[in-house]
Amino acid sequence: MFSRWSWVACGFYLVLNICYPDASGGLVQSCGHIIPESPVLALGSNFTALCILNESCLDFGNIYASQIIWKVKNRVIPKEQYREINRTVSSVTFNDTSSLATPLTCNILADGHIEQNIYGITVTVGLAPEKPKNLSCIVHQMSEFTYVMTCTWNPGRHTFLDTQFRLRYRWPEEVFPDCIPKDVNNSCTITDTQFFVNTEIWVEATNALGKAESDPLVVDPVDIVKPLSPQNVSVSSGVLPTVLKLSWENWISDAVMTLKFNIRYRIVGDTNWMEVPSEDTASPRTSFSVQGLRPYTEYVFSIRCMKEDGMGYWSDWSEEKTGITTEDQPSKGPPIWRIIDKSRSPACWTVHLIWKALKPFEANGVILQYEVTVRDKSSLSAPVKKYNVTSTNHTLQLPEGTYEVTLIARNSVGASPPSVLLIPASNSKAPVKNLRTLPKHDKLWVGWTAPNGYVLKYVIEWCLVSSSSDCVIEWQIALGDVQGVELKGIKPFKCYLITVYPLYADGQGSGQSVKAYLKQDRPSKGPTVQTKKVGKAEAVLTWNHLTVEEQNGFIRNYTILYKTIDGNETVVTVDPSKTEYTLSSLTSDTLYTVRMMASTDNGSRTGPDFTFTTQKFGKGEIEAIVVPVCLAFLLIVLLGVLFCFNKRDLIKKHIWPIVPDPSKSNIAQWSPQVPAKHNFNSKDQMYPEGSFTDVSVVEIEADDKKSFSEQDLKPFDLLKKEKTTSEGHSSGIGGSSCMSSPRQSVSDSDEGETTQNTSSTVQYSTVVLNGYRDQTPVQVFSRSESTQPLLDSEERPEDHAGGADSPAQRQQYFRQNGGQDEINTDRPCFERTKQITHANEGDLVGFVQLQISGQSSQPLGLGMEKNAQEAALSNVLQTCTEGQTVRPETVEENPLSVDEMPKSYLPQTVRQGGYMPQ
């Protein structure tokens, strides 16, 4: 065994032998080689390679064939494909070369540690060439005398090898140089071509795996010529309006070969070519007249040629040339129709005659004018009216009737046949049946069923329906044996109104109309819904139809979708003809959201949301509550009025008591001469029921109460109590005190309470100052039932005639400015007293006798007569004593002068039933 350094040296030696065989004199050969060297293999065949080691490497490195490793493109080949022939030779076998790649290398593994490459080869895999097929040749005319022959073939499959093709040709006795293709492998061009000699032509293909030849082609080059197209082509008009003459020049002389021609032509703007029959141009020529053309029509012409016997190839088409035929008279009359406007008056028609311009092949020239003739068939004596028009419409004002209109188109050559239109007084003939439409190939087909009678032709009208502009009518005419036409120029998503009229020999049928769409789409917008009326459990919704521009198709239905805020959505389908719908079974006082959707055949579109709130009360519910309440109220008011009317006296007594007019009072005239006599023998009869006793009045100071004892004031306290109990029983007094000022009443409290407005009855008093039978005059108060104050302006002039006593006497009537002690009307007649003589009830056995002086009848300025005073007093006493017993109280006091009278009011005490008027 070699040591480690021995193996390193051996490996270095191998590298030098493999990579640098000429490095030294002893290292000129490698350790081995592979056979075959760089083979070319057929794809899919078997292949075996041998790696042979040199003897020198065996002696130096102790290397054997068993240590060889085969690789394909650095990929180790499985050892199953190896075979060790001897100690120096190892082989590898491939059953299918399809997977074989390059390079193939032989490697050695020395002592199992170092792998070294011994040798490598390049393996080429491919296919042998196939036999070339479909060999053909064509001779191209390059100029008048120059011809080249180009041959083409099918080279067959790809060989994956470098394959060389050669075009070989020869005459029977002469062989020409091979034609080698350049940059291609399927064609080659021979520049030297000889006519009138048969030439054998074939193709040869060669590569490393073999050689193949095509079948030979034997041909005379003159029979495979493709000549140049005719030159200098021109077109000229002929004598007739349907003929054009073509002229041209040929590149090949008749001595070389004779030619035949092919002529094609078309109308300018058309894409379809027409050809002259081949038999008409099968002979040699340089011109030809094309017939059967349309008058006054521009045509495009082109020509080509080939060998007359049909051998060879057609030339390319010549340059296109145009020509126009001459004019001729129009071949037919213009289609005519009418639109009758009867809006002004049914008896007077506005007839709009419209016709279509003739097509160029029908006009046969430039139309200069149209001649319109109108004949009234209702009256044979009516003159014929003629009009010359240059446009395609004309308007007539005609009375109602039957008319025949004739239209003629005229050009520079002549006039067209007449077009006749019958305008009947009425469309009484049978109309078409089963009018229908159907989209077909981006066109709208209109079909109908013919009526029973014979129809000359049909007029089909159509117009674009618009909500913003008038319908512009378009029309066309179909023959009487047609039951359907295709309308051109129809736009999608637009609505068209189509009408079909049958025209008879003696009249016209009424038109049948239908609306149609070429294509439909969903609406551009949804309907906007609103409420017309909202109730408690129902709501009336209203909306407007979508405009025809917004519909984009036929509206099949409307869908109403409504819901509450937190409820489920309810869907209702509505007929498309309606614009109003009532939602029922709604919840009262509830907010609803509603929206509306319009649907066509191709989709739907929803409008904006709308909200409304149902009412809390239904129709008539409020009236059902309010009306009974109002009726009840009116009934109560009516009953109250009736009650008040029946009790008017009682109500008037309590609310509006009778107030005597003070100016008409006769109390001042009351002055009895003799007081009434009473029996004072017994106390029991001191105050008999219904009698009136003598009363004396004691004047006291209203501001001094201290000088009286409690016993002296008892009568006054009793007076206050009786006043309280007697309220409501005194006739004509109501509940007021017996005395008050015209604007204020005296309070019954000793503390001087605030005054109250005396809106109730106000009592008045008459003061009598004359002494009775020379007695000192006392102050006497007499009540009146009047509720009006005595005004200063009502006093008589005699009130001021009392001399120096008048001011003091006026103060004793009323103290109008007596302070707060005199303000309250609820207070009794007496507020403050100074002195009362000691007396008890037992002392009140006498009556105070009143004496009214007859000589001085105006002590208070009243100026009344004595007898009048007596009468007034008697009336007052009688009135007061009719329903109650009055018990007078006598109080003795020294008489005071008029000037010294206290400025307070002290009426007499009445024991039974209130105050006694004086």
Side-chain angles (χ1 to χ4, degrees):
M1 294 292 294
F2 289 106
S3 65
R4 181 181 302 272
W5 291 106
S6 298
W7 284 110
V8 171
C10 180
F12 181 72
Y13 175 77
L14 291 173
V15 170
L16 289 176
N17 276 276
I18 295 172
C19 301
Y20 304 100
D22 300 329
S24 62
L27 301 175
V28 293
Q29 294 181 355
S30 64
C31 288
H33 64 279
I34 298 175
I35 58 173
E37 182 79 23
S38 300
V40 178
L41 307 176
L43 188 66
S45 63
N46 296 331
F47 171 68
T48 299
L50 301 176
C51 181
I52 303 173
L53 298 178
N54 295 333
E55 293 290 339
S56 60
C57 291
L58 297 178
D59 297 338
F60 178 79
N62 194 20
I63 299 173
Y64 301 99
S66 61
Q67 297 172 332
I68 293 176
I69 298 174
W70 291 90
K71 289 186 178 181
V72 174
K73 203 174 182 179
N74 295 326
R75 181 176 58 84
V76 178
I77 299 173
K79 291 186 178 295
E80 290 79 4
Q81 298 178 230
Y82 298 176
R83 180 186 177 192
E84 184 180 353
I85 297 176
N86 54 38
R87 62 186 298 266
T88 60
V89 178
S90 175
S91 68
V92 62
T93 301
F94 299 92
N95 295 326
D96 187 359
T97 57
S98 300
S99 60
L100 184 61
T102 190
L104 175 64
T105 60
C106 175
N107 304 278
I108 192 73
L109 186 62
D111 197 21
H113 296 285
I114 300 176
E115 181 180 325
Q116 295 294 332
N117 179 263
I118 299 299
Y119 202 78
I121 61 174
T122 300
V123 179
T124 303
V125 179
L127 297 172
E130 287 186 328
K131 177 182 178 180
K133 300 177 182 179
N134 299 329
L135 176 62
S136 64
C137 298
I138 181 172
V139 177
H140 294 278
Q141 184 183 11
M142 305 304 295
S143 63
E144 185 177 358
F145 302 106
T146 303
Y147 300 88
V148 296
M149 183 173 63
T150 301
C151 296
T152 60
W153 61 89
N154 182 4
R157 65 187 178 184
H158 183 48
T159 63
F160 304 102
L161 300 175
D162 182 16
T163 302
Q164 186 177 19
F165 291 87
R166 292 176 179 271
L167 177 64
R168 308 185 71 177
Y169 65 101
R170 64 185 177 186
W171 289 350
E173 298 179 355
E174 184 176 356
V175 177
F176 297 97
D178 296 343
C179 178
I180 300 175
K182 295 180 180 180
D183 302 327
V184 294
N185 62 355
N186 64 342
S187 69
C188 192
T189 299
I190 301 173
T191 59
D192 185 13
T193 303
Q194 299 295 325
F195 290 160
F196 308 114
V197 178
N198 290 332
T199 304
E200 183 181 3
I201 306 170
W202 74 96
V203 178
E204 184 180 272
T206 306
N207 65 10
L209 296 179
K211 181 176 71 172
E213 291 183 355
S214 68
D215 295 333
L217 173 65
V218 179
V219 63
D220 185 352
V222 75
D223 294 333
I224 56 175
V225 173
K226 180 181 179 180
L228 291 172
S229 59
Q231 61 179 345
N232 299 327
V233 179
S234 63
V235 180
S236 61
S237 300
V239 178
L240 300 176
T242 59
V243 177
L244 288 176
K245 184 178 180 180
L246 278 72
S247 301
W248 63 87
E249 296 178 359
N250 296 320
W251 286 94
I252 300 178
S253 65
D254 293 340
V256 176
M257 68 178 69
T258 58
L259 302 174
K260 66 178 180 178
F261 301 91
N262 190 3
I263 300 174
R264 68 177 184 178
Y265 61 95
R266 63 181 174 83
I267 299 174
V268 173
D270 196 357
T271 58
N272 298 322
W273 289 94
M274 294 171 286
E275 292 185 1
V276 175
S278 58
E279 58 271 16
D280 293 345
T281 56
S283 58
R285 64 183 62 241
T286 57
S287 64
F288 186 80
S289 294
V290 181
Q291 302 177 5
L293 303 179
R294 296 175 180 175
Y296 198 68
T297 303
E298 188 176 11
Y299 287 89
V300 179
F301 294 91
S302 182
I303 308 172
R304 65 179 180 175
C305 61
M306 69 175 302
K307 190 178 179 183
E308 182 182 11
D309 58 5
M311 305 289 289
Y313 300 91
W314 284 103
S315 70
D316 295 333
W317 289 102
S318 67
E319 181 183 3
E320 294 180 352
K321 293 294 182 178
T322 60
I324 186 171
T325 55
T326 58
E327 290 190 22
D328 194 4
Q329 65 182 14
S331 60
K332 62 179 294 186
I336 185 173
W337 186 235
R338 87 291 177 276
I339 299 175
I340 300 177
D341 184 6
K342 301 180 182 180
S343 59
R344 292 186 178 181
S345 174
C348 183
W349 294 351
T350 299
V351 180
H352 301 279
L353 297 177
I354 53 177
W355 55 88
K356 293 182 180 294
L358 292 173
K359 296 178 181 179
F361 66 89
E362 297 171 341
N364 296 337
V366 178
I367 300 300
L368 302 177
Q369 67 177 11
Y370 298 95
E371 297 178 0
V372 180
T373 302
V374 180
R375 181 179 292 105
D376 188 355
K377 300 194 72 174
S378 302
S379 175
L380 298 177
S381 61
V384 177
K385 299 179 181 179
K386 293 185 177 182
Y387 307 91
N388 292 328
V389 183
T390 56
S391 62
T392 56
N393 58 81
H394 187 63
T395 301
L396 300 173
Q397 300 293 333
L398 300 175
E400 182 180 6
T402 301
Y403 297 90
E404 182 183 76
V405 179
T406 302
L407 178 65
I408 295 175
R410 187 177 295 276
N411 61 10
S412 60
V413 177
S416 69
S419 296
V420 180
L421 174 66
L422 181 64
I423 303 178
S426 62
N427 300 332
S428 57
K429 299 296 182 178
V432 297
K433 304 175 184 178
N434 192 24
L435 183 61
R436 58 200 180 275
T437 61
L438 181 67
K440 279 187 178 181
H441 310 295
D442 296 331
K443 297 179 182 179
L444 188 63
W445 180 82
V446 181
W448 60 86
T449 300
N452 296 330
Y454 175 73
V455 179
L456 293 178
K457 52 188 175 181
Y458 297 96
V459 176
I460 301 95
E461 285 184 357
W462 72 92
C463 67
L464 179 63
V465 180
S466 174
S467 60
S468 58
S469 60
D470 295 334
C471 194
V472 179
I473 294 178
E474 298 184 43
W475 58 281
Q476 72 180 53
I477 294 179
L479 298 178
D481 56 350
V482 174
Q483 295 187 13
V485 295
E486 290 183 350
L487 304 183
K488 299 179 181 180
I490 303 299
K491 299 178 181 179
F493 316 132
K494 300 295 183 181
C495 181
Y496 288 87
L497 178 64
I498 302 171
T499 306
V500 177
Y501 297 90
L503 302 183
Y504 300 90
D506 56 349
Q508 173 183 313
S510 59
Q512 295 294 310
S513 300
V514 65
K515 288 184 178 180
Y517 283 88
L518 177 62
K519 291 182 180 179
Q520 297 189 51
D521 195 5
R522 66 175 186 164
S524 303
K525 59 179 290 189
T528 300
V529 65
Q530 294 179 339
T531 53
K532 181 178 180 181
K533 182 180 179 182
V534 179
K536 178 181 178 182
E538 69 282 336
V540 179
L541 303 180
T542 182
W543 61 91
N544 293 326
H545 286 303
L546 297 178
T547 63
V548 68
E549 291 83 3
E550 297 170 343
Q551 292 179 7
N552 295 335
F554 292 112
I555 302 298
R556 299 305 181 186
N557 59 69
Y558 290 114
T559 303
I560 299 175
L561 305 98
Y562 66 97
K563 65 176 182 177
T564 59
I565 295 178
D566 54 354
N568 295 328
E569 193 169 56
T570 304
V571 179
V572 179
T573 301
V574 183
D575 187 86
S577 61
K578 295 183 178 180
T579 59
E580 187 175 297
Y581 186 80
T582 301
L583 300 179
S584 58
S585 301
L586 303 180
T587 306
S588 62
D589 196 20
T590 303
L591 179 66
Y592 281 87
T593 300
V594 61
R595 54 196 175 98
M596 196 165 187
M597 181 171 61
S599 303
T600 64
D601 293 337
N602 278 28
S604 304
R605 182 84 69 174
T606 304
D609 290 350
F610 179 79
T611 59
F612 66 91
T613 302
T614 53
Q615 295 182 0
K616 189 172 184 179
F617 299 100
K619 181 179 180 181
E621 289 185 1
I622 297 179
E623 291 82 350
I625 297 173
V626 172
V627 170
V629 171
C630 294
L631 292 177
F633 177 75
L634 293 176
L635 181 59
I636 292 172
V637 171
L638 181 60
L639 293 176
V641 171
L642 293 176
F643 177 79
C644 293
F645 182 77
N646 293 333
K647 302 295 183 180
R648 61 185 180 279
D649 295 334
L650 182 59
I651 295 174
K652 182 177 181 181
K653 179 178 180 182
H654 288 280
I655 300 178
W656 299 288
I658 300 175
V659 181
D661 190 353
S663 62
K664 298 179 181 180
S665 176
N666 55 8
I667 189 65
Q669 300 176 3
W670 174 61
S671 179
Q673 296 294 331
V674 180
K677 304 296 184 178
H678 301 278
N679 185 9
F680 299 106
N681 293 332
S682 173
K683 279 188 175 182
D684 296 337
Q685 299 192 7
M686 182 179 296
Y687 306 105
E689 184 70 17
S691 64
F692 181 77
T693 61
D694 294 338
V695 180
S696 67
V697 179
V698 179
E699 296 182 358
I700 63 173
E701 286 290 334
D703 299 329
D704 189 3
K705 191 177 179 183
K706 297 179 182 179
S707 59
F708 295 95
S709 64
E710 184 178 354
Q711 183 67 22
D712 297 333
L713 296 177
K714 285 183 178 181
F716 299 100
D717 295 334
L718 179 61
L719 177 63
K720 294 168 66 177
K721 294 178 181 180
E722 290 176 352
K723 178 258 180 184
T724 303
T725 59
S726 64
E727 287 180 357
H729 301 284
S730 300
S731 175
I733 297 174
S736 303
S737 59
C738 62
M739 295 178 58
S740 65
S741 79
R743 284 174 289 275
Q744 296 174 344
S745 63
V746 182
S747 174
D748 58 353
S749 175
D750 295 338
E751 288 77 20
E753 301 174 356
T754 58
T755 61
Q756 298 178 358
N757 191 4
T758 310
S759 60
S760 61
T761 57
V762 181
Q763 307 303 322
Y764 301 94
S765 298
T766 301
V767 181
V768 182
L769 298 180
N770 290 346
Y772 179 67
R773 292 183 179 181
D774 299 328
Q775 294 181 6
T776 301
V778 296
Q779 189 172 359
V780 178
F781 294 83
S782 177
R783 295 199 308 171
S784 171
E785 291 184 352
S786 174
T787 58
Q788 285 187 326
L790 282 176
L791 306 178
D792 292 342
S793 60
E794 295 177 356
E795 295 179 356
R796 295 164 60 180
E798 290 85 348
D799 295 343
H800 305 284
D805 297 336
S806 297
Q809 295 168 2
R810 295 174 62 87
Q811 292 179 359
Q812 294 169 17
Y813 280 114
F814 305 100
R815 291 184 61 186
Q816 299 182 7
N817 299 317
Q820 295 182 359
D821 294 339
E822 307 172 85
I823 294 175
N824 198 326
T825 60
D826 295 335
R827 297 181 182 179
C829 299
F830 318 112
E831 292 197 358
R832 288 175 173 78
T833 59
K834 282 187 177 181
Q835 295 176 357
I836 300 177
T837 57
H838 299 283
N840 50 30
E841 292 184 11
D843 297 332
L844 299 177
V845 296
F847 293 94
V848 180
Q849 298 182 356
L850 303 178
Q851 182 180 3
I852 301 175
S853 175
Q855 297 176 357
S856 178
S857 61
Q858 300 177 350
L860 297 178
L862 299 176
M864 299 180 180
E865 296 297 335
K866 178 178 180 180
N867 55 355
Q869 293 175 352
E870 293 175 354
L873 182 58
S874 175
N875 293 336
V876 172
L877 293 176
Q878 184 178 357
T879 304
C880 293
T881 57
E882 286 179 353
Q884 53 187 307
T885 302
V886 181
R887 297 178 59 186
E889 183 178 351
T890 303
V891 181
E892 294 182 1
E893 182 63 59
N894 293 330
L896 299 176
S897 63
V898 176
D899 297 334
E900 295 176 354
M901 284 186 178
K903 299 178 180 179
S904 64
Y905 316 123
L906 187 60
Q908 289 70 29
T909 302
V910 180
R911 293 293 187 184
Q912 302 178 359
Y915 312 119
M916 181 181 67
Q918 305 297 315

